[in-house]
Amino acid sequence: QTLIVPVTNVSFPHLGDMIKGENARWFDDIPAEFEPLATRLPWRGPGCTGIIATNKEDGVVYHARNLDFSPLKVMTNLVYNGVFKKNGTELFQSQMIAGYTMVITGIKLGPNGYAIERNTRYTDHKGGNKEMLSHLFSGRPLNGWSLRKIMETETEYEKAVAAIASVPYVSTEYAIISGVKKGTILSKNPDNVAFRQVLGQANPQEPMEYIIMTNFDFFFHDIREFFDPTGHGGFGKPTRRVAAQKTLNATLAAGQPLTPDVLFSVINQQYVIADTVFQAVLSVEKAMWNISQPLLS
């Protein structure tokens, strides 16, 4: 999982050397000894789309997510729903990939429970991939394992958000966390939080009713978003985020609420859905864990 970060980010091993000026920061190279992974590994991804939105009719917060992971025919058959228990009592549920023991999308129910979605986030500076590999080989716990331990022990939304914000990571990553009438997206660096989006507060390019994340720091003008091939967008077509926001914003402009049906429609629309192997529309307040897989060829 950790190695996917530099591999997905580098379509051309030395692309970073060809980009000059301010935008050069977004194009990091992988160390030479790992360059063969960029061409030999059969997968692309994971790409992801996550939306946390407030239904203005009743104030309930809903959370929608796509997990995109290629090769589609292989990864689709490895997805399952895991129920984690201790002494016969359920702790949380999580979407899992066979052979991978860590949380990818999870929900912990309770009066102040929370749900967590993990999205790939690419490094934002030169040398970031080398730093990530250094963390990996140092024995630092993997991101997903740290999140699994938080879901095992923390029962309150605020404590979970604080724990995720402070725990050391191996690699950069987004944590999309929803709760009862609240939501937060943390753009994690290995040792700190680079940016924080909070539902109901002023956020760049987002209304108060929702926050959204795919795999790029759009609030920092990460130009890699517009080269993203997943969802068949970019390169002059809408990116996954832009396509999703167009529909979300049109729904709000028409005076309509962001219901679970609207969110499910958004994550299945053209340019948003990609190599999607897992979907969820969930709500901690409503104890809703609606998970599915799209029928893609």
Side-chain angles (χ1 to χ4, degrees):
Q1 175 264 336
T2 308
L3 285 176
I4 290 168
V5 176
V7 169
T8 308
N9 190 18
V10 184
S11 299
F12 304 96
H14 296 287
L15 180 60
D17 294 337
M18 297 183 283
I19 305 296
K20 306 299 182 183
E22 175 63 23
N23 287 324
R25 62 179 287 204
W26 301 115
F27 294 90
D28 191 22
D29 296 324
I30 36 178
E33 61 268 32
F34 292 97
E35 284 183 8
L37 290 174
T39 55
R40 293 182 184 177
L41 286 177
W43 58 61
R44 178 180 69 192
C48 310
T49 299
I51 305 165
I52 301 175
T54 301
N55 181 340
K56 66 180 182 180
E57 288 190 332
D58 56 13
V60 174
V61 167
Y62 293 96
H63 183 161
R65 109 83 108 218
N66 276 353
L67 173 69
D68 309 326
F69 210 158
S70 179
L72 186 66
K73 291 183 179 180
V74 174
M75 301 308 297
T76 295
N77 294 323
L78 298 179
V79 177
Y80 68 96
N81 184 58
V83 180
F84 289 75
K85 297 182 178 182
K86 185 175 182 179
N87 297 326
T89 300
E90 180 179 317
L91 296 177
F92 63 92
Q93 293 190 49
S94 175
Q95 169 252 325
M96 306 291 290
I97 298 286
Y100 183 73
T101 61
M102 305 176 212
V103 170
I104 302 175
T105 311
I107 188 167
K108 185 152 190 167
L109 297 175
N112 193 27
Y114 56 94
I116 175 72
E117 165 191 346
R118 300 170 58 198
N119 286 15
T120 295
R121 176 177 181 251
Y122 302 119
T123 181
D124 61 2
H125 66 281
K126 287 283 190 178
N129 289 325
K130 186 175 181 180
E131 292 170 5
M132 181 274 296
L133 291 166
S134 176
H135 293 317
L136 176 65
F137 294 129
S138 74
R140 182 178 286 198
L142 296 178
N143 304 358
W145 186 256
S146 296
L147 283 175
R148 174 170 166 171
K149 291 301 167 183
I150 289 171
M151 293 203 75
E152 288 177 6
T153 57
E154 298 293 351
T155 60
E156 304 289 316
Y157 170 89
E158 288 78 11
K159 290 183 178 180
V161 171
I164 295 168
S166 62
V167 68
Y169 270 18
V170 167
S171 65
T172 52
E173 190 169 284
Y174 298 107
I176 296 90
I177 313 154
S178 62
V180 178
K181 294 183 170 34
K182 47 202 167 189
T184 302
I185 299 177
L186 303 178
S187 299
K188 283 273 293 180
N189 288 329
D191 295 308
N192 55 52
V193 175
F195 196 80
R196 189 183 300 247
Q197 298 155 260
V198 180
L199 184 65
Q201 297 184 11
N203 299 290
Q205 302 181 49
E206 296 166 323
M208 297 290 189
E209 289 86 355
Y210 72 83
I211 49 179
I212 186 170
M213 183 50 63
T214 54
N215 303 102
F216 304 94
D217 292 352
F218 65 91
F219 36 78
F220 291 149
H221 310 292
D222 183 351
I223 67 168
R224 290 171 297 187
E225 179 178 19
F226 301 98
F227 295 93
D228 175 26
T230 62
H232 307 289
F235 299 96
K237 297 179 181 179
T239 66
R240 285 177 285 126
R241 175 187 62 86
V242 170
Q245 287 199 266
K246 182 178 180 180
T247 301
L248 294 169
N249 293 342
T251 301
L252 293 172
Q256 299 301 312
L258 299 179
T259 64
D261 286 344
V262 168
L263 296 181
F264 188 67
S265 175
V266 168
I267 63 174
N268 280 283
Q269 74 180 43
Q270 185 182 22
Y271 300 124
V272 179
I273 197 167
D275 300 321
T276 304
V277 299
F278 174 86
Q279 296 181 304
V281 178
L282 54 94
S283 170
V284 177
E285 182 174 353
K286 293 292 187 180
M288 178 181 177
W289 176 243
N290 188 346
I291 57 176
S292 60
Q293 290 184 294
L295 296 175
L296 299 175
S297 58

mmCIF file of all heavy atoms in Angstrom, residues 245-281:
data_model
loop_
_atom_site.group_PDB
_atom_site.id
_atom_site.type_symbol
_atom_site.label_atom_id
_atom_site.label_comp_id
_atom_site.label_asym_id
_atom_site.label_seq_id
_atom_site.Cartn_x
_atom_site.Cartn_y
_atom_site.Cartn_z
ATOM 1 N N GLN A 245 -18.376 18.089 -8.027
ATOM 2 C CA GLN A 245 -18.793 19.389 -7.486
ATOM 3 C C GLN A 245 -19.804 20.085 -8.388
ATOM 4 O O GLN A 245 -20.680 20.810 -7.889
ATOM 5 C CB GLN A 245 -17.571 20.284 -7.271
ATOM 6 C CG GLN A 245 -16.732 19.863 -6.083
ATOM 7 C CD GLN A 245 -15.828 20.978 -5.596
ATOM 8 O OE1 GLN A 245 -14.672 21.051 -6.009
ATOM 9 N NE2 GLN A 245 -16.347 21.841 -4.738
ATOM 10 N N LYS A 246 -19.696 19.885 -9.684
ATOM 11 C CA LYS A 246 -20.673 20.494 -10.590
ATOM 12 C C LYS A 246 -22.083 20.027 -10.258
ATOM 13 O O LYS A 246 -23.033 20.825 -10.186
ATOM 14 C CB LYS A 246 -20.324 20.153 -12.036
ATOM 15 C CG LYS A 246 -21.271 20.799 -13.053
ATOM 16 C CD LYS A 246 -20.853 20.482 -14.483
ATOM 17 C CE LYS A 246 -21.798 21.138 -15.480
ATOM 18 N NZ LYS A 246 -21.393 20.823 -16.895
ATOM 19 N N THR A 247 -22.234 18.728 -10.006
ATOM 20 C CA THR A 247 -23.563 18.193 -9.676
ATOM 21 C C THR A 247 -23.988 18.599 -8.276
ATOM 22 O O THR A 247 -25.153 18.972 -8.049
ATOM 23 C CB THR A 247 -23.556 16.662 -9.795
ATOM 24 O OG1 THR A 247 -23.200 16.301 -11.133
ATOM 25 C CG2 THR A 247 -24.918 16.077 -9.459
ATOM 26 N N LEU A 248 -23.068 18.539 -7.319
ATOM 27 C CA LEU A 248 -23.408 18.945 -5.950
ATOM 28 C C LEU A 248 -23.832 20.405 -5.899
ATOM 29 O O LEU A 248 -24.838 20.762 -5.248
ATOM 30 C CB LEU A 248 -22.202 18.711 -5.035
ATOM 31 C CG LEU A 248 -21.780 17.255 -4.807
ATOM 32 C CD1 LEU A 248 -20.425 17.203 -4.125
ATOM 33 C CD2 LEU A 248 -22.821 16.510 -3.982
ATOM 34 N N ASN A 249 -23.094 21.265 -6.571
ATOM 35 C CA ASN A 249 -23.407 22.687 -6.562
ATOM 36 C C ASN A 249 -24.722 22.976 -7.278
ATOM 37 O O ASN A 249 -25.509 23.841 -6.843
ATOM 38 C CB ASN A 249 -22.275 23.487 -7.206
ATOM 39 C CG ASN A 249 -21.000 23.453 -6.390
ATOM 40 O OD1 ASN A 249 -21.025 23.118 -5.204
ATOM 41 N ND2 ASN A 249 -19.884 23.785 -7.009
ATOM 42 N N ALA A 250 -24.988 22.265 -8.372
ATOM 43 C CA ALA A 250 -26.252 22.451 -9.090
ATOM 44 C C ALA A 250 -27.438 22.012 -8.235
ATOM 45 O O ALA A 250 -28.501 22.646 -8.255
ATOM 46 C CB ALA A 250 -26.222 21.666 -10.401
ATOM 47 N N THR A 251 -27.247 20.948 -7.470
ATOM 48 C CA THR A 251 -28.305 20.472 -6.580
ATOM 49 C C THR A 251 -28.628 21.531 -5.525
ATOM 50 O O THR A 251 -29.803 21.838 -5.264
ATOM 51 C CB THR A 251 -27.877 19.166 -5.896
ATOM 52 O OG1 THR A 251 -27.602 18.182 -6.897
ATOM 53 C CG2 THR A 251 -28.967 18.647 -4.964
ATOM 54 N N LEU A 252 -27.594 22.097 -4.925
ATOM 55 C CA LEU A 252 -27.808 23.139 -3.916
ATOM 56 C C LEU A 252 -28.413 24.394 -4.535
ATOM 57 O O LEU A 252 -29.296 25.030 -3.943
ATOM 58 C CB LEU A 252 -26.480 23.475 -3.237
ATOM 59 C CG LEU A 252 -25.861 22.364 -2.376
ATOM 60 C CD1 LEU A 252 -24.463 22.753 -1.933
ATOM 61 C CD2 LEU A 252 -26.748 22.067 -1.156
ATOM 62 N N ALA A 253 -27.960 24.772 -5.731
ATOM 63 C CA ALA A 253 -28.477 25.965 -6.398
ATOM 64 C C ALA A 253 -29.957 25.831 -6.725
ATOM 65 O O ALA A 253 -30.695 26.827 -6.761
ATOM 66 C CB ALA A 253 -27.678 26.239 -7.669
ATOM 67 N N ALA A 254 -30.403 24.575 -6.945
ATOM 68 C CA ALA A 254 -31.816 24.323 -7.236
ATOM 69 C C ALA A 254 -32.648 24.241 -5.962
ATOM 70 O O ALA A 254 -33.860 23.974 -6.025
ATOM 71 C CB ALA A 254 -31.958 23.033 -8.037
ATOM 72 N N GLY A 255 -32.010 24.445 -4.810
ATOM 73 C CA GLY A 255 -32.726 24.402 -3.540
ATOM 74 C C GLY A 255 -32.991 23.004 -3.030
ATOM 75 O O GLY A 255 -33.794 22.816 -2.116
ATOM 76 N N GLN A 256 -32.296 22.015 -3.576
ATOM 77 C CA GLN A 256 -32.527 20.626 -3.198
ATOM 78 C C GLN A 256 -31.498 20.180 -2.164
ATOM 79 O O GLN A 256 -30.365 20.655 -2.147
ATOM 80 C CB GLN A 256 -32.435 19.729 -4.434
ATOM 81 C CG GLN A 256 -33.460 20.054 -5.500
ATOM 82 C CD GLN A 256 -34.883 19.926 -5.000
ATOM 83 O OE1 GLN A 256 -35.250 18.920 -4.375
ATOM 84 N NE2 GLN A 256 -35.694 20.958 -5.229
ATOM 85 N N PRO A 257 -31.864 19.239 -1.294
ATOM 86 C CA PRO A 257 -30.930 18.751 -0.260
ATOM 87 C C PRO A 257 -29.972 17.714 -0.805
ATOM 88 O O PRO A 257 -30.240 17.053 -1.817
ATOM 89 C CB PRO A 257 -31.870 18.127 0.774
ATOM 90 C CG PRO A 257 -33.044 17.645 -0.037
ATOM 91 C CD PRO A 257 -33.216 18.643 -1.144
ATOM 92 N N LEU A 258 -28.865 17.553 -0.126
ATOM 93 C CA LEU A 258 -27.886 16.527 -0.469
ATOM 94 C C LEU A 258 -28.233 15.251 0.297
ATOM 95 O O LEU A 258 -27.739 14.986 1.388
ATOM 96 C CB LEU A 258 -26.474 17.010 -0.137
ATOM 97 C CG LEU A 258 -26.022 18.265 -0.894
ATOM 98 C CD1 LEU A 258 -24.609 18.667 -0.478
ATOM 99 C CD2 LEU A 258 -26.100 18.070 -2.406
ATOM 100 N N THR A 259 -29.105 14.475 -0.298
ATOM 101 C CA THR A 259 -29.605 13.243 0.303
ATOM 102 C C THR A 259 -28.673 12.077 -0.029
ATOM 103 O O THR A 259 -27.808 12.177 -0.910
ATOM 104 C CB THR A 259 -31.006 12.922 -0.226
ATOM 105 O OG1 THR A 259 -30.899 12.676 -1.645
ATOM 106 C CG2 THR A 259 -31.967 14.088 0.009
ATOM 107 N N PRO A 260 -28.869 10.933 0.630
ATOM 108 C CA PRO A 260 -28.077 9.751 0.254
ATOM 109 C C PRO A 260 -28.231 9.371 -1.214
ATOM 110 O O PRO A 260 -27.259 8.975 -1.856
ATOM 111 C CB PRO A 260 -28.625 8.663 1.183
ATOM 112 C CG PRO A 260 -29.134 9.401 2.364
ATOM 113 C CD PRO A 260 -29.680 10.685 1.835
ATOM 114 N N ASP A 261 -29.443 9.513 -1.765
ATOM 115 C CA ASP A 261 -29.658 9.181 -3.176
ATOM 116 C C ASP A 261 -28.866 10.109 -4.086
ATOM 117 O O ASP A 261 -28.315 9.675 -5.102
ATOM 118 C CB ASP A 261 -31.149 9.253 -3.514
ATOM 119 C CG ASP A 261 -31.951 8.092 -2.949
ATOM 120 O OD1 ASP A 261 -31.334 7.079 -2.559
ATOM 121 O OD2 ASP A 261 -33.191 8.202 -2.889
ATOM 122 N N VAL A 262 -28.830 11.392 -3.736
ATOM 123 C CA VAL A 262 -28.059 12.341 -4.539
ATOM 124 C C VAL A 262 -26.579 11.980 -4.494
ATOM 125 O O VAL A 262 -25.902 11.947 -5.526
ATOM 126 C CB VAL A 262 -28.277 13.783 -4.040
ATOM 127 C CG1 VAL A 262 -27.264 14.739 -4.672
ATOM 128 C CG2 VAL A 262 -29.698 14.249 -4.347
ATOM 129 N N LEU A 263 -26.067 11.700 -3.306
ATOM 130 C CA LEU A 263 -24.650 11.367 -3.180
ATOM 131 C C LEU A 263 -24.300 10.090 -3.928
ATOM 132 O O LEU A 263 -23.244 10.007 -4.570
ATOM 133 C CB LEU A 263 -24.276 11.235 -1.705
ATOM 134 C CG LEU A 263 -24.402 12.509 -0.857
ATOM 135 C CD1 LEU A 263 -23.983 12.226 0.579
ATOM 136 C CD2 LEU A 263 -23.593 13.651 -1.448
ATOM 137 N N PHE A 264 -25.180 9.088 -3.863
ATOM 138 C CA PHE A 264 -24.923 7.840 -4.570
ATOM 139 C C PHE A 264 -24.909 8.076 -6.075
ATOM 140 O O PHE A 264 -24.093 7.506 -6.803
ATOM 141 C CB PHE A 264 -25.970 6.792 -4.202
ATOM 142 C CG PHE A 264 -25.678 5.427 -4.748
ATOM 143 C CD1 PHE A 264 -24.583 4.692 -4.303
ATOM 144 C CD2 PHE A 264 -26.494 4.862 -5.719
ATOM 145 C CE1 PHE A 264 -24.302 3.430 -4.814
ATOM 146 C CE2 PHE A 264 -26.229 3.594 -6.231
ATOM 147 C CZ PHE A 264 -25.132 2.879 -5.770
ATOM 148 N N SER A 265 -25.821 8.943 -6.538
ATOM 149 C CA SER A 265 -25.842 9.283 -7.960
ATOM 150 C C SER A 265 -24.562 9.991 -8.371
ATOM 151 O O SER A 265 -23.998 9.703 -9.439
ATOM 152 C CB SER A 265 -27.056 10.176 -8.260
ATOM 153 O OG SER A 265 -27.042 10.613 -9.609
ATOM 154 N N VAL A 266 -24.069 10.875 -7.527
ATOM 155 C CA VAL A 266 -22.857 11.626 -7.848
ATOM 156 C C VAL A 266 -21.650 10.694 -7.991
ATOM 157 O O VAL A 266 -20.881 10.814 -8.947
ATOM 158 C CB VAL A 266 -22.576 12.702 -6.784
ATOM 159 C CG1 VAL A 266 -21.179 13.288 -6.950
ATOM 160 C CG2 VAL A 266 -23.623 13.814 -6.870
ATOM 161 N N ILE A 267 -21.476 9.771 -7.064
ATOM 162 C CA ILE A 267 -20.280 8.915 -7.132
ATOM 163 C C ILE A 267 -20.370 7.877 -8.248
ATOM 164 O O ILE A 267 -19.380 7.201 -8.538
ATOM 165 C CB ILE A 267 -19.977 8.226 -5.781
ATOM 166 C CG1 ILE A 267 -21.103 7.278 -5.364
ATOM 167 C CG2 ILE A 267 -19.698 9.261 -4.699
ATOM 168 C CD1 ILE A 267 -20.781 6.460 -4.099
ATOM 169 N N ASN A 268 -21.540 7.782 -8.896
ATOM 170 C CA ASN A 268 -21.693 6.868 -10.023
ATOM 171 C C ASN A 268 -21.754 7.582 -11.370
ATOM 172 O O ASN A 268 -21.891 6.920 -12.404
ATOM 173 C CB ASN A 268 -22.952 6.018 -9.848
ATOM 174 C CG ASN A 268 -22.737 4.859 -8.893
ATOM 175 O OD1 ASN A 268 -22.135 3.855 -9.259
ATOM 176 N ND2 ASN A 268 -23.206 5.012 -7.669
ATOM 177 N N GLN A 269 -21.630 8.899 -11.377
ATOM 178 C CA GLN A 269 -21.790 9.616 -12.629
ATOM 179 C C GLN A 269 -20.503 9.610 -13.450
ATOM 180 O O GLN A 269 -19.409 9.287 -12.959
ATOM 181 C CB GLN A 269 -22.240 11.049 -12.367
ATOM 182 C CG GLN A 269 -21.166 11.968 -11.835
ATOM 183 C CD GLN A 269 -21.689 13.380 -11.600
ATOM 184 O OE1 GLN A 269 -22.780 13.581 -11.070
ATOM 185 N NE2 GLN A 269 -20.900 14.369 -11.997
ATOM 186 N N GLN A 270 -20.651 9.965 -14.731
ATOM 187 C CA GLN A 270 -19.509 10.016 -15.640
ATOM 188 C C GLN A 270 -18.434 10.951 -15.101
ATOM 189 O O GLN A 270 -18.727 12.015 -14.564
ATOM 190 C CB GLN A 270 -19.956 10.500 -17.017
ATOM 191 C CG GLN A 270 -18.852 10.472 -18.071
ATOM 192 C CD GLN A 270 -19.315 11.004 -19.411
ATOM 193 O OE1 GLN A 270 -20.290 11.745 -19.495
ATOM 194 N NE2 GLN A 270 -18.630 10.605 -20.482
ATOM 195 N N TYR A 271 -17.205 10.547 -15.256
ATOM 196 C CA TYR A 271 -15.991 11.239 -14.829
ATOM 197 C C TYR A 271 -15.718 11.118 -13.329
ATOM 198 O O TYR A 271 -14.624 11.449 -12.889
ATOM 199 C CB TYR A 271 -15.996 12.729 -15.223
ATOM 200 C CG TYR A 271 -16.086 12.955 -16.707
ATOM 201 C CD1 TYR A 271 -17.101 13.737 -17.252
ATOM 202 C CD2 TYR A 271 -15.156 12.386 -17.572
ATOM 203 C CE1 TYR A 271 -17.185 13.952 -18.618
ATOM 204 C CE2 TYR A 271 -15.229 12.590 -18.950
ATOM 205 C CZ TYR A 271 -16.253 13.374 -19.463
ATOM 206 O OH TYR A 271 -16.323 13.574 -20.820
ATOM 207 N N VAL A 272 -16.686 10.672 -12.537
ATOM 208 C CA VAL A 272 -16.455 10.466 -11.104
ATOM 209 C C VAL A 272 -16.133 8.997 -10.843
ATOM 210 O O VAL A 272 -15.131 8.673 -10.203
ATOM 211 C CB VAL A 272 -17.651 10.921 -10.256
ATOM 212 C CG1 VAL A 272 -17.379 10.668 -8.765
ATOM 213 C CG2 VAL A 272 -17.956 12.396 -10.495
ATOM 214 N N ILE A 273 -16.971 8.116 -11.330
ATOM 215 C CA ILE A 273 -16.687 6.692 -11.187
ATOM 216 C C ILE A 273 -15.495 6.334 -12.073
ATOM 217 O O ILE A 273 -15.327 6.879 -13.166
ATOM 218 C CB ILE A 273 -17.931 5.843 -11.535
ATOM 219 C CG1 ILE A 273 -17.769 4.426 -10.991
ATOM 220 C CG2 ILE A 273 -18.240 5.884 -13.014
ATOM 221 C CD1 ILE A 273 -19.060 3.623 -11.007
ATOM 222 N N ALA A 274 -14.649 5.454 -11.579
ATOM 223 C CA ALA A 274 -13.433 5.106 -12.311
ATOM 224 C C ALA A 274 -13.244 3.597 -12.242
ATOM 225 O O ALA A 274 -14.175 2.852 -12.546
ATOM 226 C CB ALA A 274 -12.246 5.871 -11.738
ATOM 227 N N ASP A 275 -12.058 3.144 -11.833
ATOM 228 C CA ASP A 275 -11.829 1.713 -11.610
ATOM 229 C C ASP A 275 -12.355 1.366 -10.220
ATOM 230 O O ASP A 275 -11.606 0.940 -9.343
ATOM 231 C CB ASP A 275 -10.336 1.388 -11.715
ATOM 232 C CG ASP A 275 -9.764 1.735 -13.070
ATOM 233 O OD1 ASP A 275 -10.461 1.508 -14.072
ATOM 234 O OD2 ASP A 275 -8.620 2.222 -13.129
ATOM 235 N N THR A 276 -13.647 1.548 -10.032
ATOM 236 C CA THR A 276 -14.238 1.503 -8.701
ATOM 237 C C THR A 276 -14.549 0.070 -8.288
ATOM 238 O O THR A 276 -15.308 -0.635 -8.956
ATOM 239 C CB THR A 276 -15.513 2.359 -8.648
ATOM 240 O OG1 THR A 276 -15.188 3.701 -9.065
ATOM 241 C CG2 THR A 276 -16.102 2.398 -7.253
ATOM 242 N N VAL A 277 -13.969 -0.356 -7.163
ATOM 243 C CA VAL A 277 -14.170 -1.725 -6.673
ATOM 244 C C VAL A 277 -15.009 -1.753 -5.405
ATOM 245 O O VAL A 277 -15.447 -2.821 -4.970
ATOM 246 C CB VAL A 277 -12.823 -2.420 -6.404
ATOM 247 C CG1 VAL A 277 -12.008 -2.509 -7.689
ATOM 248 C CG2 VAL A 277 -12.025 -1.724 -5.314
ATOM 249 N N PHE A 278 -15.259 -0.590 -4.813
ATOM 250 C CA PHE A 278 -16.035 -0.534 -3.577
ATOM 251 C C PHE A 278 -16.690 0.829 -3.482
ATOM 252 O O PHE A 278 -16.081 1.857 -3.789
ATOM 253 C CB PHE A 278 -15.144 -0.764 -2.360
ATOM 254 C CG PHE A 278 -15.833 -0.581 -1.026
ATOM 255 C CD1 PHE A 278 -16.532 -1.619 -0.441
ATOM 256 C CD2 PHE A 278 -15.783 0.644 -0.363
ATOM 257 C CE1 PHE A 278 -17.171 -1.452 0.774
ATOM 258 C CE2 PHE A 278 -16.422 0.816 0.860
ATOM 259 C CZ PHE A 278 -17.115 -0.234 1.433
ATOM 260 N N GLN A 279 -17.967 0.840 -3.037
ATOM 261 C CA GLN A 279 -18.693 2.081 -2.798
ATOM 262 C C GLN A 279 -19.393 2.021 -1.454
ATOM 263 O O GLN A 279 -19.778 0.939 -0.985
ATOM 264 C CB GLN A 279 -19.737 2.332 -3.896
ATOM 265 C CG GLN A 279 -19.136 2.548 -5.274
ATOM 266 C CD GLN A 279 -20.192 2.814 -6.325
ATOM 267 O OE1 GLN A 279 -21.105 2.012 -6.516
ATOM 268 N NE2 GLN A 279 -20.082 3.938 -7.018
ATOM 269 N N ALA A 280 -19.576 3.177 -0.856
ATOM 270 C CA ALA A 280 -20.305 3.248 0.406
ATOM 271 C C ALA A 280 -21.057 4.566 0.487
ATOM 272 O O ALA A 280 -20.564 5.609 0.054
ATOM 273 C CB ALA A 280 -19.360 3.118 1.600
ATOM 274 N N VAL A 281 -22.258 4.497 1.014
ATOM 275 C CA VAL A 281 -22.987 5.680 1.477
ATOM 276 C C VAL A 281 -23.348 5.382 2.915
ATOM 277 O O VAL A 281 -24.039 4.390 3.192
ATOM 278 C CB VAL A 281 -24.239 5.972 0.630
ATOM 279 C CG1 VAL A 281 -24.975 7.182 1.197
ATOM 280 C CG2 VAL A 281 -23.874 6.204 -0.830
#
